Amino acid sequence: KSKEAEIKRINKELANIRSKFKGDKALDGYSKKKYVCKLLFIFLLGHDIDFGHMEAVNLLSSNRYTEKQIGYLFISVLVNSNSELIRLINNAIKNDLASRNPTFMGLALHCIANVGSREMAEAFAGEIPKILVAGDTMDSAKQSAALCLLRLYRTSPHLVPTGDWASRVVHLLNDQHLGVVTAATSLITTLAQKNPEEFKTSVSLAVSRLSRIVTSASTDLQDYTYYFVPAPWLSVKLLRLLQCYPPPGEEIRPAVRGRLTECLETILNKAQEPPKSKKVQHSNAKNAVLFEAISLIIHHDSEPNLLVRACNQLGQFLQHRETNLRYLALESMCALASSEFSHEAVKTHIETVIAALKTERDVSVRQRAVDLLYAMCDRSNAQQIVAEMLSYLETADYSIREEIVLKVAILAEKYAVDYTWYVDTILNLIRIAGDYVSEEVWYRVIQIVINRDDVQGYAAKTVFESLQAPACHENLVKVGGYILGEFGNLIAGDPRSSPLVQFNLLHSKFHLCSVPTRALLLSTYIKFVNLFPEVKPTIQDVLRSDSQLRNADAELQQRAVEYLRLSTVASTDILATVLEEMPPFPERESSILAKLKKKKGPGTVMGLEEGKRERGPDINGGPEPAPASATSTPSPSADLLGLGAVPPAPAGPPPSSGGLLVDVFSDSPSAVAPLAPGSEDNFARQGPCLPPTPDPGPVSIPCSEQNLGPPVQCKVTLPWFVCKNNGVLFENQLLQIGLKSEFRQNLGRMFIFYGNKTSTQFLNFTPTLICSDDLQTHLSLQTKPVDPTVDGGAQVQQVVNIECVSDFTEAPVLNIQFRYGGTFQNVSVKLPITLNKFFQPTEMASQDFFQRWKQLSSPQQEVQNIFKAKHPMDTEITKAKIIGFGSALLEEVDPNPANFVGAGIIHTRTTQIGCLLRLEPNLQAQMYRLTLRTSKETVSQRLCALLSEQF
Amino acid sequence: PYPLPFPQMRFMLLFSRQGKLRLQKWYLATSDKERKKMVRELMQVVLARKPKMCSFLEWRDLKVVYKRYASLYFCCAIEGQDNELITLELIHRYVELLDKYFGSVCELDIIFNFEKAYFILDEFLMGGDVQDTSKKSVLKAIEQADLLQEEGPRVSHPRQISFVPCF
């Protein structure tokens, strides 16, 4: 039947049902059910259903099982968790749960699990644990309750606090009914991941249960034996539960550990036994358990013997005739490759893996082979692996080319013994798969060439040769243009690559290139003007031609105009300064790695540098990536070579000599930039044309000269104010000082209230703000003197205007002198103006956070402090403190929900500094670990010190 | 201190070789629009695969485990950490359950008795996790429900919906 006929028929039916629902006559339960069922059917055919929900909800309160059942089915299929009907539905569920009718209860539990919304969690999270652990609950209801609770926990973990039911749930691992054990294991595993301490008794119970299963005869477990494999689902789940914990301690629980090792050995042994059935179900179930056991062995990473056995077993699978097993073996070996115990054993399979790359017919399997080659690569086999990957790239599937390019680029850099090999490899990459070479890759090769003197000449020669090809990829033109612009002089001595030849070669590609590449080439040309004065006239001709000067593209036109002018008016000296060779880039993590991680999702790519996996208590670090150059606007070109992360350069020498330079640049400040491909930032690094250092501003609060006697009373209240802006700063019997302050970007205003607690006047009342010489250059405070007389019981107010010029560490001191009665009083307190006050919170998504985090990975940027908790470790208080500290509190960013992460920008007059922070509490040890990453070392240190005081 | 992302089944789909969706079960809240998009995309990928290829494929950030039974594809999306082989057998066990209930099941059974297919799936999997792996337990639960049904007025099966496009 035709599609149209079907639609017509359905529309007719829908109209019919609609009229029935709308009709005057109340429908009886039976018809309601019939029509709801029809709607459901139509929906499942792929048509939209926008009515009938109400009727379905009505069915829930029917006493007839069939009507209720259809009602629940409709709701679980068609109701999204945020529907407005949820409250009605919840009511019906509540009634059914309370009905004590096991079948009704079952339906209700299923519905909760199917919808699993937050509202449901709120309504039922308290009820379900009771059903789960009640003595009189039937087994089947227990199973449903366990999984239902699990579903709610996944949706809204905070709504399902583990309570005293936790320990009783753990003991379900001992239950006689294997169905109950299976369901309970899923629940326990998930709960244990978040609260390992509370569920740690599950380890020994799980081990003994597992042990009983793997040693049982295949018939012992009756219906739970699946194709001669005893309880495979439960075995897999138990093995997974054990992966929530470290290996059982050898000293503390030797018996448990021994028993577990025995289990794992038994599972490995069984893999060698002849199959009990030829059915694929038998081998699948058996191998499912085996692979999960291997995962556990890899996770523990502590038994070299088991690791090597696992590796050998997987080696056998690599050549198995089942594609599925080959796929899984490749996948599993990837993890083994990163264990120091089995890395060498994995390497012995290199030929098989390379063969897989060439012969596998399924791209998903080839993909796994690429992954494994990447994982097993080290210095000893890098050349072979890179060569194989390159040759595979020629025929590789389009879907995985980009990833292979990234991997090759990373390996080539990582294991380059001499960088000529590296340069060759990257140029090959561009030749073979130019379209898949992303910016990160070619930026990186340029960073490396610029940073290494020894390879510059070779690079220039090689790109020159590669450019000879009649058709070369645009990416090669980019790399070639950049490198020749910097280092073309190194090969200019050879008449075959004389300046003019170089220029003509590049310019022959010019017209075929896109705008950004042409812009880059124009920069190369102006660099040539400096390198090779003899080609200056030729280049000026090119720049002067109409196709450049009147180019429709503003960027090209502007470059042509400015470069032409620059080449005409600037003296040789100035040209040499402006067009100097690019300085080395700061060493930083390869942006390619970050890109690969992003592509594969965090966690799936093991950073090679980590070598052996670090499974410390801080694995929550998991994903990583990158830095907050939150300061610079992320224009697509701005971070070209990663320069965005360069700390804002201290202003170069002011444009002193030559009004010329000033003229050229001051008229078009942004235009001159593009000496490196397209980026303004690049130019800034060259120095000469930065704006001069901002002037110091109005004279600030002075008076470090005033030498004051030792402070009479100086309470250290500073930490209290770090996360708060208002409060009492100081109080004694005479005087109370209160504060109110507000901050915005790099400015702030503080109201200081001096209260006279006595009934006598204060005379000569003089508060003074004291900044050390050093502090004065970072922080500017302005205020007016207050009335020298403060009446008894009165309060006077003083306003301080604050500007943060640059980041600072010290706090200003507030000194107060006055006469009370016949005595001279002198009080000094630190004024709580701390760097974090100039924080602006920044919200960002998890991915961005980790990308920035990773970019800020140099040792100077990170400061870490591990310290004992001084206050009770309360999550809500901690959150409030982090927010009070001024950063944004980022939820659902850290893979470990117990951790806190925050992000913000410190504003100063001169710069803005992106800051990321992460606080990891350890409840058992009552310790914290605080990590700060910012683009400026002093800022990281200061913020870390300030925040550490808070917990 | 060892936070493995806890793996979870995201959804299960049954669709025919002609690309007709026969059953869908989502274990993570997903908007309608997104569901449709995912179903369309995934069907295309799976239907394009050749017979000897492996049963697992990476798709978006998920792993898809699929198997074809006669004219129907059974397809589960799990998270990367999850066990592929056991998921494959999970599919098989579900097929066995359908088979036992309907008596050598065919696509038509699932079309005409879609609600039964859902009920059986619900008894077997809840929230994406196995509730009970015993064939007997699951079928017993379904049979009990059927008994209750007999007590009601004469059943209205969707068989009555006569406009079902037969294929």
Side-chain angles (χ1 to χ4, degrees):
Chain A
K1 278 175 194 171
S2 74
K3 187 91 186 157
E4 293 83 57
E6 181 190 322
I7 291 176
K8 215 171 144 193
R9 183 73 188 84
I10 281 169
N11 283 338
K12 197 175 154 204
E13 189 64 32
L14 283 176
N16 176 36
I17 299 173
R18 210 186 294 260
S19 73
K20 288 277 194 263
F21 283 163
K22 280 207 181 129
D24 311 328
K25 217 169 43 173
L27 291 174
D28 59 10
Y30 169 76
S31 334
K32 225 183 263 174
K33 187 197 86 174
K34 186 172 85 184
Y35 294 123
V36 167
C37 196
K38 284 188 180 193
L39 282 179
L40 193 50
F41 185 81
I42 293 169
F43 174 77
L44 293 171
L45 284 176
H47 301 270
D48 288 324
I49 297 294
D50 53 5
F51 67 103
H53 298 70
M54 205 54 206
E55 284 74 13
V57 173
N58 284 339
L59 286 177
L60 297 186
S61 37
S62 162
N63 277 325
R64 291 188 196 281
Y65 181 78
T66 45
E67 289 167 17
K68 205 188 263 297
Q69 194 185 28
I70 292 294
Y72 274 123
L73 179 60
F74 184 93
I75 282 158
S76 65
V77 174
L78 259 131
V79 172
N80 251 324
S81 49
N82 41 16
S83 162
E84 300 145 19
L85 292 172
I86 254 348
R87 212 167 314 145
L88 291 171
I89 298 169
N90 279 358
N91 260 332
I93 292 175
K94 211 164 277 170
N95 292 334
D96 282 336
L97 283 184
S99 72
R100 289 281 141 195
N101 173 336
T103 41
F104 286 7
M105 261 172 89
L107 284 178
L109 286 171
H110 273 109
C111 183
I112 299 173
N114 278 326
V115 178
S117 66
R118 198 195 144 86
E119 287 77 11
M120 289 210 169
E122 275 165 359
F124 303 111
E127 189 59 27
I128 295 170
K130 290 182 207 149
I131 300 176
L132 178 57
V133 297
D136 60 346
T137 309
M138 291 187 16
D139 286 335
S140 65
K142 267 190 207 167
Q143 288 163 269
S144 304
L147 295 178
C148 190
L149 191 57
L150 171 55
R151 171 69 201 258
L152 295 185
Y153 185 79
R154 281 173 171 156
T155 322
S156 346
H158 55 286
L159 292 176
V160 187
T162 55
D164 38 3
W165 49 270
S167 62
R168 300 180 60 185
V169 170
V170 172
H171 282 277
L172 290 179
L173 287 174
N174 270 337
D175 202 281
Q176 291 199 323
H177 190 289
L178 280 187
V180 173
V181 185
T182 310
T185 310
S186 297
L187 175 64
I188 294 166
T189 304
T190 301
L191 293 173
Q193 274 161 357
K194 300 273 173 103
N195 324 282
E197 198 51 32
E198 255 181 288
F199 290 90
K200 66 179 180 206
T201 45
S202 63
V203 172
S204 56
L205 293 178
V207 169
S208 62
R209 189 94 221 189
L210 182 67
S211 164
R212 271 178 281 157
I213 295 173
V214 297
T215 53
S216 65
S218 50
T219 50
D220 289 355
L221 304 177
Q222 296 160 359
D223 210 28
Y224 289 89
T225 295
Y226 180 84
Y227 291 87
F228 303 101
V229 183
W233 277 277
L234 181 53
S235 307
V236 166
K237 280 170 189 291
L238 290 169
L239 287 163
R240 187 163 279 285
L241 168 58
L242 292 171
Q243 288 173 62
C244 300
Y245 290 91
E250 194 127 31
E251 305 78 29
I252 312 161
R253 286 186 287 180
V256 177
R257 189 182 174 117
R259 204 159 174 201
L260 177 58
T261 308
E262 262 174 43
C263 283
L264 295 171
E265 277 168 349
T266 312
I267 294 171
L268 284 167
N269 292 340
K270 280 190 177 176
Q272 298 298 327
E273 289 170 9
K276 294 199 176 72
S277 154
K278 285 214 173 80
K279 288 243 163 75
V280 68
Q281 283 76 26
H282 171 70
S283 79
N284 278 351
K286 190 166 130 180
N287 291 327
V289 178
L290 176 63
F291 275 107
E292 203 60 54
I294 291 176
S295 289
L296 179 62
I297 292 170
I298 296 171
H299 173 79
H300 284 171
D301 198 16
S302 59
E303 299 265 2
N305 180 29
L306 288 176
L307 281 160
V308 171
R309 279 194 66 185
C311 185
N312 294 339
Q313 181 61 54
L314 295 178
Q316 288 180 19
F317 284 154
L318 283 183
Q319 318 216 31
H320 202 280
R321 60 186 168 77
E322 276 272 330
T323 315
N324 287 346
L325 286 181
R326 295 199 301 275
Y327 174 97
L328 294 173
L330 288 166
E331 183 182 64
S332 200
M333 250 194 197
C334 263
L336 272 180
S338 49
S339 162
E340 59 175 331
F341 301 117
S342 48
H343 183 78
E344 288 303 316
V346 171
K347 273 168 64 186
T348 59
H349 298 286
I350 185 166
E351 297 302 334
T352 321
V353 183
I354 288 172
L357 198 58
K358 291 176 175 159
T359 57
E360 284 291 349
R361 277 185 295 173
D362 184 346
V363 56
S364 359
V365 186
R366 291 195 294 270
Q367 163 94 60
R368 292 278 78 81
V370 172
D371 287 350
L372 179 52
L373 283 179
Y374 177 77
M376 66 162 69
C377 192
D378 62 18
R379 210 165 284 284
S380 73
N381 55 21
Q383 303 244 354
Q384 185 190 6
I385 286 178
V386 165
E388 290 295 346
M389 282 191 175
L390 271 176
S391 84
Y392 172 58
L393 192 53
E394 310 229 18
T395 55
D397 310 74
Y398 297 115
S399 55
I400 58 174
R401 281 196 184 185
E402 187 185 358
E403 197 186 313
I404 297 176
V405 167
L406 294 174
K407 288 187 162 152
V408 169
I410 290 167
L411 294 178
E413 178 187 337
K414 173 108 179 115
Y415 298 115
V417 183
D418 83 272
Y419 277 84
T420 59
W421 175 68
Y422 169 74
V423 169
D424 286 342
T425 304
I426 301 295
L427 292 181
N428 266 330
L429 271 185
I430 297 177
R431 186 178 54 76
I432 296 170
D435 284 344
Y436 298 89
V437 172
S438 57
E439 292 178 335
E440 286 83 355
V441 173
W442 74 263
Y443 293 170
R444 187 68 182 166
V445 70
I446 283 169
Q447 287 179 18
I448 286 179
V449 169
I450 285 181
N451 286 12
R452 306 204 161 255
D453 305 345
D454 50 334
V455 76
Q456 289 162 356
Y458 180 81
K461 181 165 158 286
T462 320
V463 291
F464 178 79
E465 281 162 7
S466 306
L467 282 169
Q468 304 289 338
C472 50
H473 195 272
E474 190 164 332
N475 276 335
L476 181 65
V477 180
K478 290 180 188 164
V479 175
Y482 199 110
I483 288 184
L484 292 179
E486 296 292 325
F487 309 113
N489 54 329
L490 300 177
I491 57 169
D494 187 328
R496 284 168 300 176
S497 51
S498 71
L500 195 61
V501 174
Q502 287 185 38
F503 172 74
N504 285 335
L505 179 61
L506 284 175
H507 200 54
S508 70
K509 318 280 182 196
F510 187 90
H511 304 281
L512 302 170
C513 290
S514 63
V515 168
T517 308
R518 286 197 223 174
L520 183 151
L521 286 177
L522 288 179
S523 297
T524 303
Y525 297 168
I526 190 69
K527 289 219 151 194
F528 274 4
V529 168
N530 175 47
L531 288 181
F532 314 122
E534 65 267 39
V535 296
K536 180 166 158 182
T538 320
I539 287 172
Q540 284 178 329
D541 282 347
V542 168
L543 293 175
R544 203 176 287 126
S545 71
D546 277 357
S547 59
Q548 309 303 343
L549 275 190
R550 301 195 175 171
N551 195 296
D553 184 87
E555 176 72 26
L556 290 181
Q557 194 186 79
Q558 193 168 13
R559 287 194 190 206
V561 172
E562 282 161 7
Y563 290 164
L564 182 59
R565 186 83 186 129
L566 180 64
S567 71
T568 323
V569 299
S571 71
T572 338
D573 282 355
I574 289 169
L575 275 183
T577 315
V578 175
L579 302 170
E580 201 182 11
E581 189 179 301
M582 292 293 284
F585 290 89
E587 289 295 335
R588 64 208 307 268
E589 197 216 357
S590 163
S591 49
I592 307 178
L593 202 55
K595 166 119 181 171
L596 182 62
K597 282 178 184 167
K598 201 167 144 196
K599 206 171 150 53
K600 299 280 277 182
T604 49
V605 177
M606 256 165 276
L608 286 176
E609 43 274 86
E610 284 142 44
K612 185 180 165 327
R613 271 170 311 154
E614 290 170 7
R615 275 248 167 109
D618 87 273
I619 193 166
N620 17 14
E624 280 280 278
S629 70
T631 52
S632 64
T633 36
S635 100
S637 62
D639 200 25
L640 255 196
L641 298 173
L643 292 171
V646 174
S656 52
S657 66
L660 172 94
L661 194 61
V662 179
D663 281 348
V664 171
F665 291 124
S666 59
D667 289 342
S668 51
S670 71
V672 191
L675 293 188
S679 157
E680 267 96 280
D681 294 16
N682 296 346
F683 197 76
R685 302 186 64 225
Q686 303 263 353
C689 58
L690 271 189
T693 339
D695 62 345
V699 179
S700 35
I701 287 298
C703 57
S704 56
E705 309 83 45
Q706 295 195 11
N707 203 350
L708 302 150
V712 178
Q713 289 200 14
C714 189
K715 280 209 234 159
V716 187
T717 47
L718 203 56
W720 197 82
F721 278 97
V722 167
C723 297
K724 293 190 174 70
N725 283 331
N726 306 325
V728 174
L729 177 66
F730 173 85
E731 183 157 26
N732 64 10
Q733 285 164 334
L734 309 177
L735 174 70
Q736 184 193 52
I737 307 176
L739 286 185
K740 253 188 166 166
S741 44
E742 53 194 31
F743 293 86
R744 193 179 203 151
Q745 304 209 324
N746 69 320
L747 302 176
R749 181 177 292 166
M750 182 176 270
F751 299 87
I752 310 178
F753 302 94
Y754 305 98
N756 182 344
K757 291 169 70 179
T758 69
S759 48
T760 318
Q761 267 189 341
F762 291 163
L763 296 170
N764 300 343
F765 187 79
T766 354
T768 318
L769 295 168
I770 305 165
C771 293
S772 70
D773 288 348
D774 180 44
L775 183 57
Q776 278 183 50
T777 62
H778 300 300
L779 188 68
S780 149
L781 303 180
Q782 291 179 310
T783 186
K784 295 201 182 91
V786 297
D787 193 326
T789 313
V790 184
D791 287 330
Q795 195 179 51
V796 296
Q797 174 190 331
Q798 185 179 28
V799 184
V800 185
N801 288 316
I802 306 159
E803 182 182 9
C804 176
V805 178
S806 58
D807 67 288
F808 61 95
T809 306
E810 289 176 62
V813 172
L814 173 65
N815 175 264
I816 300 126
Q817 300 178 330
F818 60 95
R819 297 190 74 84
Y820 167 69
T823 56
F824 179 70
Q825 301 288 330
N826 189 345
V827 172
S828 281
V829 282
K830 281 194 173 164
L831 208 52
I833 301 173
T834 45
L835 183 55
N836 63 296
K837 298 294 179 194
F838 305 96
F839 238 140
Q840 290 286 113
T842 317
E843 290 293 344
M844 57 178 84
S846 176
Q847 200 180 30
D848 298 341
F849 180 85
F850 283 111
Q851 192 181 357
R852 295 182 172 177
W853 183 264
K854 191 71 177 188
Q855 281 164 21
L856 291 171
S857 56
S858 86
Q860 300 83 35
Q861 292 168 333
E862 182 189 275
V863 174
Q864 194 169 72
N865 187 16
I866 298 173
F867 53 91
K868 248 226 126 44
K870 290 188 286 285
H871 304 284
M873 298 175 78
D874 179 282
T875 307
E876 291 311 313
I877 294 175
T878 307
K879 284 182 180 169
K881 281 183 175 166
I882 290 175
I883 292 167
F885 191 64
S887 73
L889 179 71
L890 304 178
E891 305 271 15
E892 291 173 6
V893 163
D894 201 295
N896 180 347
N899 293 343
F900 305 90
V901 296
I905 296 169
I906 295 280
H907 288 260
T908 72
R909 187 201 291 163
T910 45
T911 63
Q912 304 187 345
I913 300 137
C915 310
L916 303 177
L917 67 89
R918 172 142 165 242
L919 180 71
E920 299 159 84
N922 180 335
L923 281 169
Q924 286 127 284
Q926 288 286 305
M927 303 274 284
Y928 284 103
R929 176 163 65 187
L930 175 65
T931 313
L932 256 296
R933 288 192 178 185
T934 79
S935 46
K936 199 166 176 201
E937 182 176 12
T938 46
V939 173
S940 300
Q941 281 169 347
R942 183 59 185 149
L943 292 181
C944 186
L946 283 170
L947 191 54
S948 298
E949 289 292 314
Q950 294 302 311
F951 301 103
Chain B
Y2 286 77
L4 288 171
F6 34 96
Q8 188 193 351
M9 188 185 292
R10 294 285 190 80
F11 59 84
M12 184 176 197
L13 303 178
L14 261 68
F15 51 85
S16 72
R17 229 164 33 149
Q18 289 77 23
K20 279 259 171 216
L21 189 59
R22 296 301 177 202
L23 180 146
Q24 50 173 329
K25 190 81 192 174
W26 300 80
Y27 295 113
L28 203 72
T30 316
S31 74
D32 249 8
K33 203 173 146 213
E34 182 67 9
R35 286 182 185 188
K36 281 195 173 148
K37 194 163 160 248
M38 288 170 92
V39 168
R40 211 179 322 119
E41 214 178 287
L42 186 60
M43 279 207 278
Q44 222 170 20
V45 175
V46 171
L47 290 172
R49 310 243 329 152
K50 300 192 182 74
K52 281 279 169 183
M53 287 185 163
C54 86
S55 314
F56 322 121
L57 58 110
E58 275 175 34
W59 180 74
R60 298 195 177 188
D61 57 339
L62 298 173
K63 190 161 276 173
V64 172
V65 178
Y66 72 95
K67 189 160 179 177
R68 187 179 148 184
Y69 290 86
S71 61
L72 271 188
Y73 283 89
F74 289 68
C75 196
C76 289
I78 56 176
E79 288 172 359
Q81 307 284 320
D82 215 342
N83 192 310
E84 295 92 343
L85 284 175
I86 207 75
T87 309
L88 199 56
E89 291 318 298
L90 197 104
I91 292 177
H92 187 75
R93 177 46 51 109
Y94 180 50
V95 173
E96 284 184 348
L97 288 166
L98 292 173
D99 203 55
K100 191 98 178 171
Y101 181 80
F102 289 112
S104 81
V105 66
C106 71
E107 191 178 344
L108 274 175
D109 291 316
I110 294 174
I111 296 173
F112 288 128
N113 302 287
F114 70 96
E115 84 284 19
K116 289 288 175 218
Y118 275 96
F119 295 148
I120 295 172
L121 184 59
D122 268 354
E123 282 301 329
F124 179 44
L125 294 182
M126 191 186 214
D129 272 292
V130 195
Q131 179 163 216
D132 206 322
T133 61
S134 155
K135 236 193 296 195
K136 276 185 203 150
S137 310
V138 176
L139 289 173
K140 207 173 81 192
I142 296 290
E143 276 154 19
Q144 269 173 357
D146 279 354
L147 279 178
L148 282 172
Q149 198 145 23
E150 302 294 306
E151 294 159 13
R154 220 26 230 143
V155 269
S156 78
H157 262 289
R159 278 186 197 284
Q160 292 181 348
I161 307 177
S162 50
F163 60 87
V164 173
C166 286
F167 45 95

